[in-house]
């Protein structure tokens, strides 16, 4: 049996999650995106950051993708851009990142079950990707404008948890610029600073093209993509039939080759 204090903490966390779920549904429905600050608190946020820094020190990050950096539009030198690593949250050395993942799972699962007032109500969330931990080395590396899920691969919601203390957009750059569609936004953009202990949710499809502007300080983030059950099932079926199709072609070509 819990002590009264533990019960109070538990109730407090439960209430917090309830409130966050309500704002996720309301904001996703109205604006197509939702920002929650002070998501886990300074203490837990710092423990998560420590684990990410340890991952980087132990070299689990991929080499940054090669990005061409134009200088005076002439010669093109390549710089190393974002470095990423994938976690399934069961790694023993990442217990705090695992806790983040389960809390975001709880928020998304509850939010998708709230009354059908939000569009979320029409979607069943069937699962998610692994967690993508990303690091921009701060050498001006950026991420070009893109849509996370342009062709119905099943991803419905993007959730990004930021880990950058004392971030200052003037000197550090690294702003996430979203170009949301929808009458509320008209031609306005949403500039989201990658602040410590901030979590951002947005629809992963063409409703939210976005770019990461050049970062001049090391920039860390953890991303989870949540699947819509129907779209994901269809995407897997499509993928299977396509790969079956290409296998058939290969067999024919192979036979032709042997003749
Ligand atoms: C490193 N990185 C990304 O940062 C974003 C992205 O949109 N990030 C937004 C952000 O960090 O604010 C991506 O969408 C992405 C997709 C595939 C591989 C790597 C990727
Ligand atoms: Mn993206």
């Amino acid at each position: 049996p819990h002590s009264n204090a533990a019960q109070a903490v538990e109730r407090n966390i439960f209430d917090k999650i309830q409130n966050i779920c309500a704002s996720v549904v309301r904001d996703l429905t109205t604006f197509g995106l939702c920002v929650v600050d002070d998501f886990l608190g300074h203490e837990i946020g710092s423990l998560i950051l420590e684990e990410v820094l340890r991952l980087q020190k132990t070299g689990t990050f991929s080499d940054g993708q090669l990005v061409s950096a134009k200088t005076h539009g002439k010669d093109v030198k390549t710089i190393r851009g974002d470095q990423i690593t994938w976690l399934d949250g069961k790694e023993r050395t990442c217990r705090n990142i695992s806790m983040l993942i389960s809390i975001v799972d709880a928020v998304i699962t509850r939010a998708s079950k709230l009354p059908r007032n939000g569009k979320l109500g029409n979607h069943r969330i069937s699962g998610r990707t692994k967690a993508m931990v990303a690091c921009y080395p701060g050498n001006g590396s950026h991420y070009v404008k893109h849509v996370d899920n342009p062709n119905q691969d099943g991803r419905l919601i993007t959730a990004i948890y930021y880990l950058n203390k004392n971030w200052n957009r003037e000197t550090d750059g690294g702003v996430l610029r979203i170009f949301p569609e929808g009458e509320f936004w008209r031609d306005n953009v949403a500039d989201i600073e990658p602040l410590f202990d901030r979590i951002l949710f947005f629809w992963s499809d063409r409703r939210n093209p976005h770019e990461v502007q050049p970062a001049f300080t090391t920039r860390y983030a953890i991303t989870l993509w949540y699947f819509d059950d129907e779209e994901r099932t269809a995407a897997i079926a499509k993928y299977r039939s396509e790969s079956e199709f290409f296998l058939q072609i290969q067999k024919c070509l192979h036979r032709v080759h042997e003749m």
Side-chain angles (χ1 to χ4, degrees):
H2 283 349
S3 70
N4 288 343
Q7 275 177 341
V9 167
E10 200 169 293
R11 218 180 3 265
N12 174 279
I13 291 182
F14 185 75
D15 292 348
K16 214 170 156 185
I17 290 198
Q18 284 277 56
N19 298 338
I20 290 172
C21 294
S23 59
V24 168
V25 170
R26 186 189 58 240
D27 293 358
L28 270 181
T29 306
T30 320
F31 312 116
L33 57 95
C34 170
V35 178
V36 178
D37 279 323
D38 308 316
F39 184 54
L40 300 177
H42 190 272
E43 183 124 4
I44 297 183
S46 302
L47 289 171
I48 294 171
L49 176 58
E50 270 167 42
E51 281 177 0
V52 171
L53 293 173
R54 194 170 344 105
L55 282 176
Q56 192 176 37
K57 218 178 27 239
T58 54
T60 53
F61 277 79
S62 69
D63 269 348
Q65 64 165 315
L66 277 177
V67 186
S68 58
K70 293 192 182 34
T71 45
H72 322 307
K74 268 205 325 284
D75 71 312
V76 166
K77 71 179 169 63
T78 53
I79 56 166
R80 283 275 176 213
D82 53 287
Q83 307 164 321
I84 62 173
T85 185
W86 293 92
L87 297 175
D88 63 13
K90 298 185 187 64
E91 293 81 1
R92 263 182 327 96
T93 56
C94 301
R95 303 165 63 81
N96 295 293
I97 295 177
S98 312
M99 181 163 53
L100 164 74
I101 295 172
S102 351
I103 294 174
V104 183
D105 285 353
V107 168
I108 293 291
T109 310
R110 278 196 74 79
S112 66
K113 292 198 170 63
L114 284 180
R116 308 178 73 82
N117 59 343
K119 255 178 254 158
L120 226 48
N122 309 339
H123 296 280
R124 233 171 63 75
I125 306 280
S126 64
R128 59 163 164 78
T129 63
K130 288 185 172 185
M132 180 183 80
V133 186
C135 165
Y136 286 80
N139 52 0
S141 49
H142 65 291
Y143 205 91
V144 294
K145 188 173 177 181
H146 66 285
V147 168
D148 283 350
N149 172 17
N151 306 314
Q152 288 79 38
D153 65 22
R155 288 180 289 169
L156 175 70
I157 296 175
T158 303
I160 311 181
Y161 182 69
Y162 295 109
L163 292 156
N164 308 291
K165 293 182 174 173
N166 314 314
W167 190 268
N168 171 343
R169 69 181 291 175
E170 310 309 324
T171 53
D172 306 324
V175 165
L176 168 68
R177 172 161 290 180
I178 307 180
F179 304 79
E181 74 172 39
E183 62 281 355
F184 170 83
W185 294 97
R186 289 219 288 270
D187 294 340
N188 297 311
V189 295
D191 280 355
I192 317 280
E193 294 177 52
L195 303 182
F196 175 75
D197 199 25
R198 164 175 281 184
I199 190 162
L200 163 71
F201 300 94
F202 59 89
W203 299 122
S204 310
D205 62 15
R206 293 170 189 268
R207 286 171 281 184
N208 288 309
H210 55 281
E211 66 187 12
V212 177
Q213 297 183 336
F216 299 100
T217 304
T218 315
R219 179 188 188 278
Y220 295 101
I222 301 175
T223 302
L224 292 159
W225 282 280
Y226 288 85
F227 292 123
D228 167 81
D229 191 27
E230 269 170 46
E231 186 180 312
R232 184 61 182 165
T233 309
I236 291 172
K238 185 165 172 289
Y239 172 77
R240 279 219 182 95
S241 63
E242 277 174 356
S243 48
E244 187 54 40
F245 174 64
F246 286 115
L247 275 174
Q248 294 308 331
I249 292 189
Q250 266 174 356
K251 275 189 205 140
C252 301
L253 290 178
H254 197 62
R255 268 202 295 276
V256 163
H257 196 64
E258 275 171 346
M259 273 159 56

